[in-house]
Amino acid sequence: MKLLPGRSAPARWTAWWAVMTSAFWLLGRIGGQRPNLLGCAATAVLAILVGELGDGLRRRRARSRAARTSAGTGGSAG
């Protein structure tokens, strides 16, 4: 899902951070906790970093797979 398409990466990351911070805070409130906003913000940063790293690995794997397929070494001949 693209949040704020056409915006710069820092603007998108800031928007995601705000959305995720609010979501973590709200989930804490729903769960009967007294969530600390700073803790929710730090958790949101960590979740975004993990997500970006995972997306980068997924993209790298897809490029590698596409390169092998185009080179003719990507699959078993059966």
Side-chain angles (χ1 to χ4, degrees), residues 57-75:
L57 288 173
R58 180 190 60 82
R59 288 173 191 250
R60 180 185 294 170
R61 192 174 305 137
R63 278 194 309 266
S64 175
R65 208 173 283 145
R68 279 185 300 201
T69 302
S70 68
T73 61

Side-chain angles (χ1 to χ4, degrees), residues 33-61:
Q33 303 292 319
R34 296 188 70 196
N36 179 358
L37 191 57
L38 184 59
C40 292
T43 302
V45 167
L46 182 62
I48 290 169
L49 288 175
V50 168
E52 288 292 326
L53 288 173
D55 186 49
L57 288 173
R58 180 190 60 82
R59 288 173 191 250
R60 180 185 294 170
R61 192 174 305 137

Side-chain angles (χ1 to χ4, degrees), residues 3 10-24 37-38 40-46 48:
L3 186 64
R12 288 192 311 267
W13 292 337
T14 302
W16 269 117
W17 171 77
V19 168
M20 290 183 69
T21 298
S22 300
F24 286 134
L37 191 57
L38 184 59
C40 292
T43 302
V45 167
L46 182 62
I48 290 169

